[in-house]
Amino acid sequence: QVQLVESGGGLVQAGGSLRLSCAASGRTSSIKSMGWYRQAPGKQRELVAGITSGGSTNYTDSVKGRFTISRDNAKNTVYLQMSSLKPEDTAVYHCNALTSVLTSVRVTIAYWGQGTQVTVSS
């Protein structure tokens, strides 16, 4: 199994920057992709950014040009660099890891971090 530990959330002024970290442990070799999701009050959880094991990235339109997802394979850590933050970015951010494992059959399993609060004040 995989464990995810997030850090880096906090309170920041609009226009500021924040860097989130997600450290994976356990069977990290099974991870196929990782991503950052967020959920604001009254809204559905949405994918903010994702990165595959091959390094391909994708972002939701609202954060393109402002957020950057990256990874450090040696440390099994994924980062989300957030810049030009807006109050609309306020949410609980969760790290996600998608794994592919073979038990009796091959299955996909998603793991989630505990979440970290990001609050952007105006």
Side-chain angles (χ1 to χ4, degrees):
Q1 59 181 4
V2 173
Q3 297 81 44
L4 304 174
V5 179
E6 300 159 330
S7 62
L11 176 65
V12 65
Q13 295 285 328
S17 299
L18 208 60
R19 189 193 194 202
L20 306 183
S21 299
C22 176
S25 61
R27 297 184 179 181
T28 57
S29 62
S30 68
I31 297 175
K32 301 304 178 184
S33 65
M34 297 184 69
W36 288 95
Y37 291 73
R38 68 184 180 188
Q39 186 169 24
K43 296 184 178 180
Q44 294 290 312
R45 177 178 291 177
E46 67 171 342
L47 174 66
V48 178
I51 186 167
T52 69
S53 59
S56 298
T57 61
N58 66 283
Y59 303 88
T60 190
D61 287 342
S62 63
V63 307
K64 288 181 179 178
R66 300 189 297 119
F67 291 9
T68 301
I69 189 170
S70 62
R71 66 179 185 180
D72 184 334
N73 290 333
K75 296 182 178 180
N76 294 312
T77 300
V78 65
Y79 305 93
L80 184 66
Q81 178 65 50
M82 305 184 294
S83 301
S84 301
L85 283 163
K86 306 175 181 179
E88 305 90 84
D89 296 318
T90 296
V92 176
Y93 285 70
H94 293 266
C95 180
N96 164 269
L98 182 64
T99 65
S100 179
V101 299
L102 181 65
T103 55
S104 58
V105 297
R106 185 168 296 280
V107 298
T108 57
I109 301 175
Y111 293 90
W112 295 88
Q114 78 284 356
T116 184
Q117 177 70 47
V118 172
T119 302
V120 184
S121 63
S122 59

